Amino acid sequence: MTRWMVIGLALFLCAAESRAQDAPDCPVPNYLLYGDSALDRLHAAAVKQKSFKIVVVGTASSTVPGRDGAQSAYPARLEAALKKRLPAVSVTVAAHSRPRQTAVQIAETFEKLLLDEKPDLVVWQSGTFDALQGVDPEQFRASVADGVETLQAGGADVILMNMQYSPRTESMIPLGGYSDGLRWVSRERSVPLFDRLAIMRHWNDSGAIDLYAATKDISMAKRVHDCIGRTLASMIVEGARLEPLEGKTTQ
Amino acid sequence: MRDQVKDAKAEPASVRGPHPFAAVPPAVAAERDLRLDLFRGLALWLIFLDHIPINIVSWLTIRNYGFSDATEIFIFISGYTAAFVYGRSMRERGFVISSARILKRAWQIYVAHIFLFAIYMAEIAYVTSSFENPLFAEEANILDFLKQPDVTIIQALLLKFKPANMDVLPLYIVLLLLFPPILWLLLRNAVVALAASVLLYSLTWHLGWNIPSYPTGHWWFNPFAWQLLFVFGAWCALGGAERLSPVLRSPVTLWVAIGYLVFALAIVMTWHFPRTAFLMPRWLSEWMYPIDKVNLDVLRFAHFLALAAVTVHFIPLNWPPLKSKWLRPAIICGQHSLEIFCIGVFLAFAAHFLMIEVYGGILMQVAASAAGILIMIGIAALLSWYKSVESRGSTPKRPPDADLAGGSA
């Protein structure tokens, strides 16, 4: 029975057509990237006010160490990619890095974040620190659900982002329960999930980026963050139906 | 005892004479159900494949096609065989002796768990010492627990600190510790025992009972919930399966089970392909999600039951291929489940190590998966041979211990 399923799966993958993405050197299959959850608030802001604000909230894996880390990390790369693709829209991306904080601690900051930043979209990267701490996955899921509810009640669109794919530590940090939890919340609250785990795994498996490499070199971290930023931009453009606003030059 | 039972069938009647159980009318089905060994062996292979991080072969494992996974199979069959082995022992030799055997078995599993923990510590210390990629600075914090070895090791001995993929044996230990009174009740009044198990399961869901872990959180496999599957397996072994057989033979059951498996497959496909999520009605997802593995969600339990019903329908007890040499490798793995489980966890570590240090491509994933299963088969064959030599070489001075059943309980 499983053999037929695998064949079906393979056919499904082959049938998935590719779509314009702003990441030619680290492509992602569409089935990993595009869902049915729409970013309506962002769409309205982009169409009516010609401007929107995105806040990225995340732990250490949303940052790149080093002096010029802030410019290399994916929030800044996302901003650059969106500005390039949407020349007629004023795009702001603010990064709120909260290393060593669990989902429940981060969710507590959302009321203030909504007041201070008035974001149209919040990208919430989560999971790794909770997994390292061994937080009860069910409690993690409930915290994420509460946090997303707060953000949505405050009028913001939400994208959830899960953990990095880290092959060296994969059997050591049990990520499964946390990525499942993020997936449940994304379904329940109809918010897109940026499946960073599967996307980075795809890059690794397809040979685009060798994540096994034992390197101290910062350039690989920069490259991965650049790819994440551009891929996330593709997801946002598609999710908020911003294709009509795209500049001709990028297509 | 498993091997005694097996040997009794395989060897001439003269060998059967001194068999201590031969004179006693069998309390439970005398014919060993090879399907149990087969599916436990297969479950051990699947657990091994799932434990290798990033493994293309793990797409073949059942967790990708439904709600339940190999853990359910493993725990159910373990409950079944525990009742099979210790149920007989409790009828013949009483509560105290059989309980002592069960506790001794729990101790063996505890020692095996600590042994695996030592291997795990060695691996993690090695891998993370060569781990300086700035991209993974956050993940490198996994070394934090090594900064307090005094606390961590004590917590590991208390089964509160459990590294990734090392949750099944602690669950098994707790289930065996709880087993003597459950077995006693099952032998007195099976229905009451099963009802008590269901009651504990529902109370756990309502009151949120679980065992705390270190540094935070709770057990990944909540023993108070997962006992349902173990006790259900035990109940089936002690006559429940016969009571259920009219239900299992009914074509209605078969079609309901197949329908549910197809439904679960469709749901799981919407996880793999977010594009298809719109096919999933909102009311259904609100009712269904989350599907809780920690507390053995009813949907998971039902999925296991459906799998079991379909399996039993198509694979009867006397299914000829069960005696063929082609299924022999899986059957012998299932017959030494504790050893093969531990070896599987170790081999998954080793495969991961090879992928990091040598090459992690698809070729290596396939090769490591195949080699791992072959090693598991080889060791199971060695253990079978060893036991047969031991039991032939000396007249049994002491009654065959249920613990000799190795993987049987």
Side-chain angles (χ1 to χ4, degrees), chain B residues 124-196:
Chain B
I124 200 172
Y126 174 83
V127 170
T128 44
S129 68
S130 60
F131 191 70
E132 289 168 302
N133 190 333
L135 179 63
F136 299 117
E138 181 166 25
E139 284 79 2
N141 286 331
I142 188 165
L143 270 179
D144 277 4
F145 74 83
L146 288 177
K147 289 178 189 153
Q148 289 180 296
D150 50 341
V151 181
T152 305
I153 290 174
I154 300 280
Q155 295 292 346
L157 291 172
L158 293 171
L159 300 181
K160 287 174 84 180
F161 177 73
K162 296 186 301 305
N165 291 341
M166 291 188 51
D167 302 277
V168 176
L169 288 185
L171 168 67
Y172 200 176
I173 293 167
V174 173
L175 292 176
L176 280 183
L177 291 179
L178 296 173
F179 197 52
I182 295 172
L183 183 59
W184 181 84
L185 192 57
L186 272 169
L187 291 171
R188 292 294 167 294
N189 192 329
V191 176
V192 172
L194 195 60

